[in-house]
Amino acid sequence: MKERILVVEDESQIAKILKLELEFEGYEVVTAHTGRLGLTLALEGSFQLILLDLMLPELNGMEVLRKIRKENHLLPVILLTARNMTMDKVAGLDLGANDYITKPFEMEEVLARVRSALRLAAYSKKMATNDQEKLSIQDVMINLQTREVERGGNSIFLTPKEFDLLVYLLMNKNRIVTRDDIIYHVWGYEYEGETNVIDVYIRHLRKKLNDDFSDSQIIQTVRGVGYIIRES
């Protein structure tokens, strides 16, 4: 069965190119040119991923994302943003977007990020429905099905990318993972931006887990190599 992708993009030429390229890769693609129609389709249809533009008529992409996340925490959403919309990218990730792609984009980058998001979603679903619904380390509990994280009974909000990073580290506990490992398995493409992106996300995770204020950090740095979560 083909994986279904919803493209919500008001620029008809961009939507057409995305549809053609994604269909060529074997996906079933539905397009919407307004935020209102995109939201309706997202909530009513059975899609495995959404490509969502932020600048949309009738209902902007941020509001569409907010409403989607109220109903569905697991559906992968990749934002399409303009190059100078840094704050919107940050706000979108905080609202629950899995990733973003900056316009103008290369189609190979789009396809790589789509594959990555679908792969991570399928992996989490498999883990949640098969032999493992939860992961834990010390007093941290991760529910793979609901994507909820708790430490000592207190809920911790993680962005989708922070959650995926923590799960990847936990699935490889007691093994050192390099930055290249993390880029490939969590981001899923050849990252060409700031080289310290992994360190930034690790720092965010540690702060949210309160590792910065603990003598025994859950996520440990192996200098010059990468990171590891060791089971006590």
Side-chain angles (χ1 to χ4, degrees):
M1 185 176 178
K2 289 184 178 181
E3 291 169 305
R4 302 183 74 227
I5 296 176
L6 174 62
V7 176
V8 188
E9 168 62 66
D10 65 322
E11 295 185 51
S12 58
Q13 190 61 27
I14 293 178
K16 182 179 179 181
I17 292 172
L18 287 169
K19 180 177 171 65
L20 288 172
E21 293 288 348
L22 289 166
E23 287 180 339
F24 182 77
E25 292 296 313
Y27 302 109
E28 181 181 338
V29 182
V30 176
T31 60
H33 300 298
T34 69
R36 196 171 302 281
L37 176 58
L39 177 62
T40 299
L41 291 171
L43 297 181
E44 293 180 355
S46 55
F47 295 98
Q48 280 70 57
L49 182 138
I50 296 179
L51 287 173
L52 176 65
D53 187 31
L54 286 181
M55 303 297 289
L56 294 167
E58 297 185 9
L59 199 64
N60 68 55
M62 208 69 77
E63 191 61 29
V64 173
L65 174 62
R66 183 180 290 108
K67 292 179 182 295
I68 289 174
R69 282 294 176 250
K70 283 184 179 180
E71 304 294 329
N72 190 326
H73 294 285
L74 304 180
L75 178 63
V77 177
I78 300 177
L79 301 179
L80 303 176
T81 74
R83 188 174 297 278
N84 60 349
M85 295 170 64
T86 302
M87 293 306 297
D88 282 343
K89 294 171 187 175
V90 173
L93 291 173
D94 286 342
L95 276 177
N98 296 73
D99 205 348
Y100 65 84
I101 298 170
T102 302
K103 298 179 182 177
F105 49 74
E106 295 290 337
M107 189 53 61
E108 285 305 315
E109 179 186 3
V110 175
L111 296 175
R113 298 203 191 197
V114 165
R115 287 193 296 268
S116 173
L118 290 172
R119 182 173 65 247
L120 286 167
Y123 183 73
S124 294
K125 184 178 180 181
K126 179 182 177 182
M127 292 295 297
T129 56
N130 287 353
D131 58 340
Q132 202 166 2
E133 289 187 1
K134 294 183 178 180
L135 295 172
S136 64
I137 187 75
Q138 296 182 27
D139 58 345
V140 176
M141 297 290 296
I142 300 175
N143 190 313
L144 294 169
Q145 198 162 37
T146 63
R147 295 178 73 90
E148 293 175 319
V149 179
E150 292 183 355
R151 183 166 195 183
N154 297 315
S155 180
I156 298 173
F157 170 77
L158 298 183
T159 67
K161 194 63 70 180
E162 290 167 349
F163 180 89
D164 291 339
L165 174 56
L166 180 58
V167 168
Y168 178 71
L169 291 170
L170 263 177
M171 291 305 300
N172 290 276
K173 63 184 175 183
N174 300 319
R175 185 175 79 85
I176 299 172
V177 292
T178 67
R179 288 171 178 79
D180 287 341
D181 290 333
I182 294 171
I183 285 290
Y184 178 77
H185 290 283
V186 179
W187 271 258
Y189 59 94
E190 190 64 30
Y191 186 75
E192 296 179 354
E194 296 292 333
T195 56
N196 67 343
V197 62
I198 304 301
D199 307 292
V200 171
Y201 271 85
I202 292 291
R203 187 163 66 249
H204 289 171
L205 264 180
R206 281 177 172 161
K207 186 173 183 179
K208 290 184 177 182
L209 293 171
N210 289 322
D211 265 11
D212 287 341
F213 312 101
S214 172
D215 292 332
S216 58
Q217 290 186 336
I218 292 175
I219 304 171
Q220 299 177 24
T221 301
V222 181
R223 294 195 180 280
V225 183
Y227 298 96
I228 187 172
I229 287 180
R230 288 191 175 94
E231 200 162 25
S232 300

